[in-house]
Amino acid sequence: FCMWMFNESKILTNFRIPEHNASFYLLFYLLMYPFQVIADRICVNIAECYHGWKVTDYLEYCSYRFIIRTTDWKGRDNILDQTLSPHVRSIDQMCFSDQFYFVNLLQTVGVMSLIFGMQVTFEAQWNMFEDPATPAVLAYAICLCKGTSAMTGVSAGYLKIWVVRYKTWAESGYQQALAKKMQAMSAGTADEKPPPPPAG
């Protein structure tokens, strides 16, 4: 965004970064991305080995719950894990699935668009309340968002994206399988002892 809207946003100009140097920051991020993935994986292994947190088991359990879900969109499922704190139940409900990251992508793009839009508005010193076209633009934006949301839902149903392929089995054994899995995980964590502190 900073490169595409260099003259409009003037974000890089405020940090005294020339336009021809902006590509180096993008190249640096692309080169650091694979190493960041490796570092994240190492941190997960450290958390599992040192603290005894079963991160991988939890993610496998989330994948299992996502496969046996009863609805196409996991967010519409009204079954929440009551053993978790209330403020993390909705995140756990999405099971860290591709739907969860899809929602995160949409939210991130929306927030970034809002920030850059406000930056361009401030740099142009434009007062939206004095512009007679503001109501029309606002109505167009709302209709565009509603239409895109409806079209996305229809397209997802037509293309059969995220369709539950084991719906009959999920509806019959979802509750029992979920209860057994939670009991097994709680029993395993209750019997284990925390690792001893390091010497010294």
Side-chain angles (χ1 to χ4, degrees):
F1 281 109
C2 294
M3 295 173 58
W4 296 337
M5 306 176 65
F6 183 84
N7 296 324
E8 291 81 3
S9 63
K10 297 183 180 179
I11 295 178
L12 298 180
T13 304
N14 295 333
F15 287 95
R16 298 179 181 179
I17 299 176
E19 186 176 3
H20 61 275
N21 288 344
S23 58
F24 292 106
Y25 290 88
L26 179 61
L27 180 62
F28 174 77
Y29 173 77
L30 295 177
L31 292 176
M32 286 295 298
Y33 181 77
F35 297 98
Q36 184 63 46
V37 174
I38 296 174
D40 292 340
R41 185 56 185 169
I42 293 175
C43 291
V44 170
N45 289 334
I46 292 175
E48 289 185 346
C49 296
Y50 182 78
H51 297 285
W53 300 339
K54 296 183 177 180
V55 181
T56 305
D57 293 343
Y58 171 72
L59 295 178
E60 292 178 353
Y61 174 48
C62 289
S63 177
Y64 163 77
R65 287 166 48 208
F66 183 73
I67 293 175
I68 65 172
R69 68 190 188 277
T70 57
T71 57
D72 295 341
W73 186 257
K74 192 64 176 68
R76 295 179 180 176
D77 194 351
N78 56 2
I79 300 177
L80 300 176
D81 191 351
Q82 301 298 328
T83 61
L84 299 176
S85 299
H87 65 281
V88 297
R89 291 175 184 173
S90 58
I91 299 178
D92 174 76
Q93 181 187 15
M94 297 299 293
C95 298
F96 292 95
S97 59
D98 47 357
Q99 294 181 358
F100 171 77
Y101 293 106
F102 176 71
V103 172
N104 281 346
L105 175 63
L106 291 181
Q107 183 178 9
T108 302
V109 172
V111 172
M112 293 297 294
S113 301
L114 175 63
I115 293 175
F116 275 93
M118 294 177 62
Q119 176 67 21
V120 172
T121 301
F122 294 153
E123 289 294 336
Q125 297 182 355
W126 175 63
N127 187 1
M128 60 179 297
F129 299 103
E130 293 181 353
D131 194 340
T134 297
V137 174
L138 182 61
Y140 170 76
I142 294 176
C143 293
L144 180 63
C145 292
K146 294 292 185 180
T148 303
S149 177
M151 184 180 63
T152 303
V154 173
S155 301
Y158 178 76
L159 298 175
K160 299 185 182 301
I161 301 176
W162 293 315
V163 173
V164 178
R165 303 186 183 277
Y166 310 98
K167 194 167 186 179
T168 304
W169 173 75
E171 290 176 350
S172 60
Y174 182 77
Q175 295 285 354
Q176 294 81 358
L178 184 62
K180 290 180 180 179
K181 190 70 175 180
M182 292 179 61
Q183 290 177 0
M185 292 185 64
S186 60
T189 54
D191 296 337
E192 292 181 354
K193 296 181 180 180

